Amino acid sequence: RKGCLRGTRETVLNEIESWARDFDKPPVFWLNGLAGTGKSTIAKTVSEQVFANGLLGASFFCSRDFEDRSDLHLIFPTLAFQLAHKYPAFRSVLVPLLRSNPDIVYESLMNQMEEMIVKPLKSADVWTVVVIDALDECKDEEPQSAILSVLGRLVERMPKVKFLITGRPEPRIKDGFRLPLLVDSTDVFVLHDVQRSLINSDIRLFLRHELSEVARRRRVEGWPGDEDIDVLCDRAGGLFVYAVATVRFLDSRIHPPERRLEVIVNLPESTAHEGRTRFNPGSKTTLDVLYTSILKTAFSEDEEGPEVDSKIRSTIGAVVLVVNPLPPPAIAELIDLDSREVTRILTLLQSLLAFDEGSSQPVKPFHKSFPDFVTDSSRCTDARFLISPKILHLELAINCLRMMNDGLEPNLLSLPDYALNSEVKDLKTRINDRISDALRYACRSWYSHLTKTEGDSTCVVSYLRIFLDEKFLAWLEVVSVLGAVSGAVAGLDQVIGWLQEVCFCPLTALDGT
């Protein structure tokens, strides 16, 4: 992720910098902003600044795109690891603690923070800043943010530590910051309340800089004009993500940027607003219209058909609904499509995805607002592109089970008898050679998709029966070598609940006993 363009977001950056340097100010700073207002980019920039000043102790950038980065119970261990690297005094307290109680990483958030963060920091006696970005993207079942509840109880015991936290103003996050123990210890900066003229000035500077780079690379002179910049800035409606998405759309390797700019400029005006939250009155063309236009431009209705539309939805669904991002070949294997077809679809969607053609890197949405849009029928009104999570999770669950039923065999890695995983020196090589990325994903994630399905489950239960009857032990072997046993145990517990609640099917129905 890039940081803020020099000269932009100066108001918020200056305020955070002043807060970070003044330890008489509240120990917690909440950067509050709607989707697309630039919270994560600002968090990245602040992290770089306080790192350069020697104040950054640790950071955790949450992301719902990755299973480990959306797990609340990995935040404090990760922060502790980074703090131990930076501060020897912190490390001298933490390491003996971990040796005496290695299971602390599986304990409650309260115990984690008290033992792994508070006590070592108190002994280390250091001034430091900790950054937690996009807290709203972590899975949290509590009505008030579990992390904020713990922080509220313990923050006073860390007088030399500052916590910068970013997140959307969702009820769980708002209620967490309103807790009596935290409300007086927190400074709040609301990005979507910044004066509109300041935001527009920043967006205009960003568009002018980025599009001049596009013009230079494509050797286009005198483009874009000031009027074009004004139109794009007006239509962004204060959302930086709109400006970023527009630049990505215009920066096509195939189509002339002038032609693509005409598409954006000629879009119909709209009174809809990003998500269901009105951001700035007067916003004209919003993300919904932009995303729809990009999709329609990529896939002409005249050139495609129902069969191709289904492949497009399957590909997009595999990008936005997977538990962890996958590279293009693994996506193709997972959804049972030709890899060339998948690569073509991903290439046409390049302005909406973090994807480089020819790269083996995992593919993910360039911004979380795209999955929000494409899975919401009230926003994505073109049925060709609307992703139904229930339907796509069912497809993904069936495909995972199909792959495991076809690909798993006893002792798939040809391991020596009675050997521990740690004793097999070339274990990683055997895994890479004999278990594809897609099969690895299926073994780790089939239960996550299965338990998100609803309705008629007859087809998936038949695959599940074969898996449990014939492939279960082979699967256990694979999750063992992948180091995924704890997740598998939790997943099986979820499957039992799903069978009982959704299928109205007693466990005995699977084995006839």
Side-chain angles (χ1 to χ4, degrees), residues 126-174:
V126 294
W127 303 88
T128 192
V129 175
V130 173
V131 178
I132 302 176
D133 176 60
L135 183 58
D136 57 283
E137 294 198 35
C138 277
K139 299 169 186 173
D140 191 347
E141 302 301 326
E142 298 298 322
Q144 297 168 328
S145 168
I147 289 286
L148 296 179
S149 297
V150 171
L151 182 61
R153 297 180 196 177
L154 299 175
V155 68
E156 288 187 354
R157 293 170 55 185
M158 299 175 286
K160 295 184 177 181
V161 183
K162 295 271 197 168
F163 289 88
L164 170 63
I165 300 173
T166 78
R168 300 187 196 185
E170 294 182 351
R172 187 179 68 254
I173 303 296
K174 287 195 296 184

